[in-house]
Each structure stands twice: as C-alpha cells, then as structure tokens.
Amino acid sequence: MMTTTERLLADSTDIWEQYYTHPFILGLQNGDLDKDKFRFYIVQDYLYLEEYAQVFALGAAKAKTHELMQVFAGILGAISGVEMNIHNGYMGTFNVKADELSDSARSLDNLSYTSYMLRIAYEGTEVDILAAILSCAISYEYIAKNIVKNNPQAADHEFYGSWIQCYSGEEYAKTNQDLVATLNRLTQDYSEAQLCELSEIFRRCSQYELAFWDMGWNKSMA
C-alpha cells in the first residue's frame, strides 16, 4: 500500500517528469546556465522564501501537538539557516544590495504561488499546509540529486556547485524526511475523499513549481 506521499507523487508524475528535463535545470546540471537567468531566479526565490516561511509559521500556530509544532519550527529554522545562507552567498556574488531586494517586485508566478499557499495556510488544516509545502520542499531535493546522478561533477561546479550541494545534501534531506514522515503518519487513516483533496493541493503546488522554473528561464515578471 502506498504512503500518502507516494500517492501524491504518483498523481503528479506528469508534472514532476518535466522538472528533470527543464532547460533551467539542465543548465544547472551542465553548468552552462546563463548567469543572468540565475540572478533573476535567485532574487525571486529569495522573495518567495520570505512568504514560504510565513506558511510554516502559520502551520506551527495551528499545530495541535508539540511534536507537529517542532516539525514546522524545524523546517522554518532550516529555511532561515541552510537555504537563506545559500541565497545570501549568491546575493553577495551578484552584488545584490538590501535596497535592491526591498525594491524588487515579485513576479506574477511568484505572487500567485505564495498567495495560494498562504490561502491554504489560513483556511486549511495543518495537514493541508503540509501537503502545500511538500512539493517545493522535496522537489528541490529530488532535482538536485537527479542532477548529481546524471553529472556527479556538477556538485563541484565553481558557480552552481554550492546550490547543488545544498539541496542534494544530507542536512536538507533530513528536514524533508521529518516532513514526509509526519504527513504520512497524520494521514494514514484518511478517506479517499480526503486524499483526493490533498492530492489537488499538492498537484497545484507542483504546477506552480514548474511555472517558477519557467519564470526563471524566461526572466518573466508577467
């Protein structure tokens, strides 16, 4: 019998398969991604993470157990530490100043994505929140590990290597393991109707993830 996470992934296979062959991802894998595209992406992703963190904070506020509160808080800490550190490193490389970040507008895809997750966070249950954040959290791990599998030298690339090392690393994976285990445990007695609702949330967020890669590739604000 499939776990809930396996069920959600199976229901979105057609979307996830497109991640691995996306030109932005292949550019990271081959090390020939246009740095202007990556600069655009990393600024937008930084802005995304600010709102993404709010979703975890709402999850912690809604958590009915101390254990679940710790899961949300732990991932929030990883965002503030591991992911933000990578982004800050690239901000320095690209000479992105604080005032540029504060003056930067979120792209339409970025804004739509975070608005959707925040709506789920405000209106849904803590399990709905877990389903909403799962796509982003584990897709980065899956993508980075697939890059390393296809090109082991990619993790040592002088420019993109630190991004690949971060998301393919054990520290990031451990946080995801806690997230997956918690979602699977809380939904083991869910009905088919409840699972379908979670699958719809997960699939929508997976579509937003794909659109985010499109946005980075096209440097699109629309």
Side-chain angles (χ1 to χ4, degrees):
M1 182 177 179
M2 289 193 297
T3 65
T4 297
T5 300
E6 290 170 340
R7 160 71 182 272
L8 300 184
L9 285 167
D11 288 347
S12 296
T13 298
D14 58 318
I15 300 171
W16 280 58
E17 287 178 344
Q18 296 179 66
Y19 296 158
Y20 307 125
T21 58
H22 195 282
F24 193 99
I25 302 303
L26 292 179
L28 291 173
Q29 180 174 300
N30 299 328
D32 57 4
L33 178 66
D34 185 334
K35 289 182 180 178
D36 285 341
K37 293 180 185 291
F38 191 77
R39 186 186 195 278
F40 179 86
Y41 153 80
I42 209 73
V43 169
Q44 286 297 316
D45 201 44
Y46 189 96
L47 298 174
Y48 165 87
L49 286 174
E50 290 180 334
E51 304 255 292
Y52 186 58
Q54 292 182 38
V55 177
F56 285 94
L58 288 165
K62 285 192 171 186
K64 295 182 176 63
T65 66
H66 182 68
E67 180 184 5
L68 183 54
M69 186 183 300
Q70 285 184 313
V71 170
F72 281 116
I75 302 173
L76 182 58
I79 294 171
S80 300
V82 178
E83 291 196 75
M84 283 300 193
N85 283 341
I86 288 293
H87 285 66
N88 286 331
Y90 280 113
M91 293 300 175
T93 299
F94 285 124
N95 198 31
V96 178
K97 304 299 185 184
D99 57 347
E100 179 180 348
L101 275 176
S102 62
D103 292 340
S104 294
R106 288 174 172 81
S107 73
L108 184 59
D109 287 324
N110 193 349
L111 183 61
S112 297
Y113 189 5
T114 56
S115 295
Y116 176 75
M117 284 196 298
L118 284 167
R119 181 174 70 80
I120 294 296
Y122 279 112
E123 298 178 4
T125 67
E126 60 266 51
V127 175
D128 293 333
I129 298 172
L130 289 172
I133 61 183
L134 184 66
S135 178
C136 178
I138 65 174
S139 69
Y140 270 63
E141 178 187 348
Y142 281 40
I143 286 168
K145 287 183 174 178
N146 190 66
I147 287 174
V148 173
K149 182 184 74 173
N150 292 333
N151 180 14
Q153 296 179 339
D156 297 321
H157 189 273
E158 61 181 4
F159 193 80
Y160 297 120
S162 57
W163 187 96
I164 295 166
Q165 288 175 27
C166 170
Y167 291 111
S168 64
E170 289 305 311
E171 185 175 1
Y172 187 76
K174 177 60 172 63
T175 303
N176 283 341
Q177 289 164 11
D178 293 340
L179 172 59
V180 168
T182 301
L183 177 63
N184 290 342
R185 176 176 55 81
L186 293 177
T187 58
Q188 58 187 349
D189 295 324
Y190 263 34
S191 67
E192 177 62 22
Q194 288 174 306
L195 290 173
C196 284
E197 289 178 2
L198 293 184
S199 183
E200 181 180 352
I201 293 171
F202 182 83
R203 183 174 176 83
R204 181 64 68 189
C205 288
S206 296
Q207 290 172 321
Y208 275 122
E209 281 294 315
L210 184 58
F212 207 94
W213 296 122
D214 288 340
M215 174 211 70
W217 179 254
N218 296 313
K219 297 171 60 176
S220 173
M221 292 296 295

